[in-house]
Amino acid sequence: PTNKKMIEANHPNACNQCHTEKPIDWTLTHLKDWYGRTFDESAIANAYPDRNGSTAENWVKSPNKAVRLVGADSLFRARSLSSLPLLIDALDDPNLLNRQFARIGFQQMLKIDLDPFGYRFYQTPDERKAPLQAMRKSLLKPEEKAPPK
């Protein structure tokens, strides 16, 4: 869990794959207490723009498709209902494989079928718009329904 390169790059780490709601500073404190490990503060500051937010949620926003995949999978496995808006966004990931895994994770987490919404992971961005809007309308609270900017 103490891989310096991964921690300092905001890549998935063993701690936050389970403790998805915890910020990186929580992780860094435990890695120091348990393993005596410290990390380059400037690297952490550069890699973690939202140090108070969920580390796993930040992975889902990564420019790296593999990091986004692991981030979404971690949130699905943790059954993070507070992350539903972000997980619906994962169904619109630019990478087809990420969308396919997001669909599987979404259906398992909520025990619903996404087919009635008209969603298919292989659709074009334009084809995905209406199904994603329908999911937001049906599954989210009013304050969570706005698509990402």
Side-chain angles (χ1 to χ4, degrees):
T2 60
N3 184 302
K4 185 175 182 69
K5 288 181 182 179
M6 291 180 81
I7 296 288
E8 291 179 353
N10 195 358
H11 287 175
N13 67 71
C15 298
N16 293 111
Q17 283 185 286
C18 293
H19 299 280
T20 57
E21 78 289 358
K22 299 294 186 183
I24 192 59
D25 288 334
W26 175 88
T27 307
L28 296 174
T29 297
H30 283 80
L31 293 176
K32 183 177 182 183
D33 291 348
W34 295 344
Y35 299 100
R37 295 298 302 266
T38 59
F39 300 89
D40 181 318
E41 180 55 38
S42 65
I44 296 294
N46 287 333
Y48 295 85
D50 180 7
R51 291 194 49 179
N52 296 316
S54 158
T55 301
E57 284 190 1
N58 283 315
W59 297 336
V60 178
K61 300 171 191 172
S62 172
N64 182 303
K65 64 185 175 184
V67 173
R68 291 193 309 272
L69 179 66
V70 174
D73 182 65
S74 297
L75 292 167
F76 285 125
R77 288 175 186 267
R79 302 201 180 288
S80 181
L81 295 176
S82 64
S83 300
L84 274 181
L86 189 59
L87 292 172
I88 289 175
D89 295 345
L91 294 167
D92 199 28
D93 192 278
N95 183 269
L96 181 131
L97 183 65
N98 286 18
R99 293 192 307 271
Q100 184 177 16
F101 276 85
R103 180 189 61 81
I104 292 166
F106 211 94
Q107 291 184 151
Q108 289 175 345
M109 182 174 88
L110 294 181
K111 304 207 182 326
I112 62 168
D113 185 6
L114 298 184
D115 288 349
F117 291 103
Y119 178 82
R120 307 293 184 274
F121 69 89
Y122 49 80
Q123 293 171 312
T124 67
D126 283 342
E127 292 171 330
R128 292 191 301 267
K129 283 182 184 177
L132 293 172
Q133 184 178 29
M135 282 183 243
R136 285 183 186 97
K137 184 177 180 182
S138 174
L139 302 173
L140 300 179
K141 298 173 188 167
E143 65 274 10
E144 299 173 324
K145 291 184 182 180
K149 293 180 182 176

